[in-house]
Amino acid sequence: MKLLKRAAVAIAAMCVAACAMQEGPAAPTEPARAAATAEEAEAFVAAAEQELAALGEQEAHTAWVYETYINYDTEWLVQRVAAAGTEARVRLAAGAARFQDVEVSPALRRKLDLLRLALVLPAPQRDGAADELAAVTTRLASAYSTGRIDYQGRQVTLDELETLMGTTRDPALTAEMWTKWHDTAAPMAADYARMVEIANEGARGLGYDNVADYWLSNYDMPPDEMAQEVDRLWGQMQPFYSELHCYVRARLNDRYGDAVVPLDEPIRADLLGNMWAQEWGNIDDIAGLPMRQSVDLTQLLQNAGYDAQRMTETGERFYTSLGLPELPDSFWERSQFVRPRDRDVVCHASAWNLDSRDDVRIKMCIQIDADNFQTIHHELGHNYYQRAYNQQPFLFQNGAHDGFHEAIGDFIALNATPEYLVRIGLLRQNQAPSADADNALLMRQALDKVAFLPFALSLDQWRWQVFRGDIAPENYNAAWWELRRRYQGIRPPTERPAGAFDPGAKYHIPNSVPYLRYFLARVLQFQFYEAACRQAGWEGPLHRCTVYGNTEVGARFNAMMEMGQSRPWPDALEAFTGTRQMDGSSMVNYFRPLMSWLENENRGRQCGWE
Ligand code: X8Z
Ligand code: ZN
């Protein structure tokens, strides 16, 4: 997650609630309000920007302290700040609605629209609602980040479990870890249901049918059109996913046999090298092509003695090679790079800008492996975007849409080709895979990038249906698995007990971070990458291109980032790629050689699941 203005974050995910009545109907003793004017709108927005900037800074510092030291007192603080933040944002959102019919400049209209959308979970404007919502969301957030399981005679935290899920190849043990972690979320169910009720009431108060519509209104088009866009993009990649699923299931079957991996059923979720089966690159040793053709980045980093600082410096060097500025000293002094030994923290990686200027930081619990190498580039992408748009007016200091924010660092990480790894000395020239290893490299990427798409989709499909009332609390878990099965073709390793709340075992659910952004980012990062490589004049296979060191591409990329959210997102996309549409074709192009190979390999196999 990246911390931004919006509910800022901070708590962004966490809390948010509101109640203030400042903008309610005029009291009977007040004179009737005159029609609003453009000048009033201008003054209203200027005051709102000032208020939100101050509020955001207060929230961000409070949230930082909470997330890097979870205890009774920091929960107390963050909950109150969250409630106040939600109240203020709901008041401003309702206030902005007053200028709906006033003729104003396009920039002012955009700011008024953004003010209406400035929350993640709105609260209704009645006494106590914001406080209750903040209490519930803080409890959910803390429950997730302080979760531990008993495993092999000791207490194990999630960050360690993630490493174990990536490397353990005994299905009894992966099932045990998986089940115990998912069981930790069961107590969240009641709070989650209450949160949905309150936030939906808040959304209705702002003129939206429910929170799903509120979230989907964030894309410069009507929410139902956006939902169709998502279906269209998934349709472009879905055939590839089917081939990948078929092939991976067959390889897992070779390894574990029919009893563990039946060839006509969804795949067991604990066998894919990731706690949520969201990215499968960690089982490259089972599902990939022969390892000697591929690159084992985890091994390279560990052999070279990388630590958390060196991993981060390596990430920064990519950005500076494009002509972007070095990170400020305060970044190095104030970030959290590793899990502190003696206290609970939110380990899920995030990037912050605490003062809307230069106080950027990351908060991670870095392990030395390929996943974290990717994540560091991802988080620094947020920081570089935040810095690039920090000259914009406050309400435009955000991503063109949230998928852009998530795509920046991932785009950079796509440039970490073998050739790049040679250039930075991680890989020896004679170890670099030759052209006949292309499919092995593409497979490693597909296991992460393509496998993720239906995961991301099923996660927010579930949430949209929950917010729309199509899934009742008693069906939360069954519906979750129904969607995971349908989109991803996976199933839980063990029968889930009544009372299980498996969605709560994934960070973005208890923390209410919308997930569509990551789906969109998967598509966008390949569009950025293809455009960057075209600008660089690259003529070889797309996945071998790196724009490392190319300051011209860097300048054009920065120009898009500097726009922030000042224009509708198609303008930003066009500025860098020349196109105004999100389009899966770049991703399809990237993986095309592998797609043909997979179709051939799968010939004669029975693919799919019932
Ligand atoms: O949550 C994140 C980032 C922070 S915005 C670490 N990601 C998603 C996840 O972990 O589920 C990045 C990829 C998807
Ligand atoms: Zn992110």
Side-chain angles (χ1 to χ4, degrees):
M1 155 178 91
K2 119 210 108 156
L3 268 265
L4 320 155
K5 351 256 86 233
R6 177 143 324 187
V9 204
I11 333 182
M14 311 200 276
C15 325
V16 194
C19 62
M21 292 298 296
Q22 288 86 328
E23 287 293 328
T29 49
E30 281 178 27
R33 249 181 199 165
T37 64
E39 290 70 36
E40 281 170 347
E42 187 94 46
F44 173 80
V45 165
E49 291 201 286
Q50 239 185 6
E51 180 179 353
L52 287 173
L55 187 69
E57 208 168 343
Q58 176 87 26
E59 284 173 332
H61 284 279
T62 311
W64 179 268
V65 174
Y66 163 75
E67 293 202 15
T68 57
Y69 191 178
I70 303 176
N71 61 43
Y72 174 83
D73 298 291
T74 56
E75 278 177 0
W76 190 96
L77 286 166
V78 90
Q79 188 181 314
R80 272 149 193 82
V81 168
T86 300
E87 280 179 14
R89 287 185 182 81
V90 172
R91 166 171 46 82
L92 294 171
R98 203 178 140 226
F99 303 101
Q100 205 93 299
D101 300 323
V102 181
E103 204 169 311
V104 295
S105 70
L108 192 56
R109 172 56 53 207
R110 188 163 179 77
K111 287 183 178 178
L112 287 164
D113 290 346
L114 289 171
L115 270 175
R116 290 190 69 198
L117 292 165
L119 295 108
V120 177
L121 298 176
Q125 292 185 309
R126 60 175 164 74
D127 279 351
D131 293 331
E132 187 188 358
L133 184 57
V136 168
T137 51
T138 305
R139 257 199 317 271
L140 287 167
S142 288
Y144 183 88
S145 286
T146 59
R148 284 174 171 69
I149 67 163
D150 282 321
Y151 182 66
Q152 304 201 321
R154 61 195 183 90
Q155 292 265 299
V156 182
T157 57
L158 178 59
D159 39 322
E160 196 185 333
L161 273 179
E162 287 191 61
T163 304
L164 288 168
M165 287 296 287
T167 51
T168 304
R169 297 290 177 261
D170 176 343
L173 294 180
T174 52
E176 181 186 346
M177 285 187 275
W178 188 98
T179 304
K180 285 180 169 171
W181 175 253
H182 282 75
D183 286 349
T184 64
M188 296 176 185
D191 271 341
Y192 197 82
R194 182 67 189 135
M195 182 199 88
V196 169
E197 276 174 4
I198 303 172
N200 268 340
E201 191 189 335
R204 286 194 298 274
L206 294 181
Y208 298 82
D209 284 350
N210 51 60
V211 172
D213 277 7
Y214 186 64
W215 287 4
L216 279 164
S217 297
N218 260 309
Y219 297 94
D220 295 307
M221 65 176 85
D224 45 341
E225 251 175 62
M226 184 57 194
Q228 280 172 25
E229 276 295 277
V230 174
D231 289 344
R232 179 179 66 79
L233 296 170
W234 171 228
Q236 290 184 281
M237 282 309 289
Q238 202 270 338
F240 190 98
Y241 180 72
S242 298
E243 297 293 339
L244 184 70
H245 181 281
C246 192
Y247 179 76
V248 168
R249 184 172 60 188
R251 297 295 299 271
L252 287 166
N253 174 276
D254 292 342
R255 172 78 172 236
Y256 297 123
D258 288 339
V260 177
V261 187
L263 282 173
D264 54 355
E265 286 217 19
I267 304 171
R268 251 174 64 171
D270 60 314
L271 302 178
L272 292 158
N274 175 279
M275 182 60 86
W276 306 277
Q278 67 181 63
E279 283 170 341
W280 307 348
N282 287 331
I283 58 159
D284 197 33
D285 56 324
I286 299 176
L289 278 68
M291 281 307 274
R292 76 196 126 68
Q293 296 185 7
S294 190
V295 171
D296 185 344
L297 187 53
T298 298
Q299 248 341 199
L300 295 177
L301 292 165
Q302 291 178 356
N303 290 347
Y306 270 52
D307 59 11
Q309 163 118 3
R310 182 107 186 262
M311 297 256 285
T312 314
E313 283 165 358
T314 305
E316 181 196 27
R317 185 141 36 92
F318 201 110
Y319 291 87
T320 54
S321 89
L322 298 178
L324 301 174
E326 281 183 5
L327 292 162
D329 290 346
S330 56
F331 170 90
W332 299 101
E333 289 154 13
R334 297 173 193 163
S335 288
Q336 176 197 291
F337 297 106
V338 295
R339 175 188 271 281
R341 265 184 302 142
D342 56 350
R343 57 183 201 254
D344 278 316
V345 298
V346 176
C347 263
H348 189 86
S350 53
W352 304 52
N353 183 355
L354 285 87
D355 65 354
S356 303
R357 289 286 173 252
D358 270 328
D359 189 354
V360 291
R361 312 178 192 174
I362 60 171
K363 183 192 55 56
M364 283 184 69
C365 298
I366 297 175
Q367 317 255 9
I368 310 307
D369 60 30
D371 280 354
N372 278 261
F373 192 75
Q374 160 75 29
T375 303
I376 281 170
H377 288 80
H378 176 96
E379 298 308 332
L380 292 181
H382 288 310
N383 285 152
Y384 273 98
Y385 205 177
Q386 289 160 342
R387 283 179 100 191
Y389 58 56
N390 73 5
Q391 298 304 314
Q392 288 285 347
F394 185 82
L395 282 165
F396 293 156
Q397 291 189 24
N398 208 337
H401 68 49
D402 54 8
F404 279 67
H405 231 302
E406 300 302 336
I408 304 294
D410 286 6
F411 150 62
I412 296 297
L414 284 177
N415 290 276
T417 57
E419 196 236 302
Y420 165 75
L421 297 177
V422 169
R423 276 166 75 179
I424 65 166
L426 258 175
L427 189 66
R428 283 203 310 273
Q429 181 73 57
N430 63 1
Q431 295 175 306
S434 56
D436 59 4
D438 275 355
N439 280 336
L441 296 171
L442 284 173
M443 178 62 86
R444 176 68 180 77
Q445 286 285 44
L447 290 168
D448 274 348
K449 300 289 180 184
V450 181
F452 180 79
L453 293 168
F455 169 76
L457 215 49
S458 58
L459 197 154
D460 262 3
Q461 290 285 358
W462 180 83
R463 228 172 352 194
W464 295 338
Q465 291 182 30
V466 164
F467 281 124
R468 289 185 177 134
D470 297 337
I471 299 173
E474 60 274 20
N475 298 327
Y476 275 172
N477 216 48
W480 173 257
W481 284 109
E482 218 287 293
L483 286 162
R484 303 284 307 272
R485 169 185 275 260
R486 188 184 331 148
Y487 282 99
Q488 273 189 288
I490 64 158
R491 65 189 166 99
T494 47
E495 189 159 338
R496 302 304 293 140
F501 181 58
D502 296 333
K506 173 68 191 164
Y507 174 85
H508 304 70
I509 298 291
N511 290 282
S512 286
V513 181
Y515 214 78
L516 177 61
R517 59 186 62 178
Y518 303 107
F519 175 87
L520 302 176
R522 281 301 134 130
V523 174
L524 282 171
Q525 64 192 259
F526 286 93
Q527 287 187 259
F528 294 163
Y529 183 61
E530 195 178 43
C533 293
R534 197 179 344 101
Q535 288 164 26
W538 177 256
E539 284 174 355
L542 188 51
H543 71 104
R544 291 281 189 164
C545 157
T546 183
V547 297
Y548 180 66
N550 190 324
T551 52
E552 275 166 42
V553 170
R556 290 188 61 166
F557 195 61
N558 202 44
M560 177 188 80
M561 293 200 294
E562 279 173 354
M563 293 168 72
Q565 203 176 13
S566 61
R567 311 272 316 152
W569 64 259
D571 290 5
L573 187 60
E574 188 173 27
F576 187 63
T577 67
T579 169
R580 300 180 61 80
Q581 269 221 320
M582 290 188 279
D583 184 2
S585 312
S586 302
M587 198 171 185
V588 170
N589 290 344
Y590 181 99
F591 287 112
R592 196 182 305 282
L594 182 62
M595 177 68 169
S596 315
W597 185 88
L598 278 173
E599 280 169 345
N600 204 36
E601 279 289 311
N602 286 333
R603 203 154 290 152
R605 280 196 180 117
Q606 182 165 357
C607 297
W609 55 94
E610 92 302 357

